[in-house]
Amino acid sequence: MLFKRKIYSKFLNWKADVKGTKALLVEGARRIGKSTIVEEFAQNEYESYILIDFAKVSDAVKELFDLHLNDLDTFFMLLSVSMTGEA
């Protein structure tokens, strides 16, 4: 699949450019394979990862994201605490 190879290559370039300093936000039309390619990339390229589907996530998580967009360490810490509370 040409599209899959192109987007995967772009993800690899992003990973090399940011060197772990930024999160990746992927958005686009519904049902074109965004979640599939992102999850494949995460499984292949990282030891661990967090996949957040904003179409399915609670309003509380969206609010955490909005409030802490510029401080992802805090966002991930609060996210892990809120997810632990839901389990």
Side-chain angles (χ1 to χ4, degrees):
M1 292 184 127
L2 180 60
F3 175 72
K4 181 179 174 183
R5 286 194 304 267
K6 281 180 128 179
I7 195 69
Y8 199 96
S9 176
K10 287 182 184 245
F11 287 171
L12 287 172
N13 290 337
W14 165 84
K15 182 182 177 194
D17 289 345
V18 302
K19 296 177 179 56
T21 61
K22 296 182 181 178
L24 177 65
L25 173 67
V26 178
E27 58 184 346
R30 292 179 43 134
R31 308 207 34 92
I32 61 168
K34 295 180 303 294
S35 296
T36 302
I37 192 66
V38 167
E39 191 151 14
E40 180 179 331
F41 177 75
Q43 288 173 350
N44 292 340
E45 305 299 330
Y46 291 94
E47 193 172 308
S48 65
Y49 62 93
I50 299 171
L51 179 69
I52 303 171
D53 184 339
F54 283 95
K56 298 177 182 176
V57 76
S58 71
D59 287 340
V61 172
K62 290 178 188 176
E63 185 175 342
L64 284 177
F65 183 77
D66 288 340
L67 291 172
H68 302 286
L69 182 58
N70 293 321
D71 183 4
L72 292 177
D73 288 334
T74 299
F75 169 69
F76 292 131
M77 186 264 307
L78 293 171
L79 181 64
S80 68
V81 168
S82 72
M83 299 307 283
T84 303
E86 291 179 11

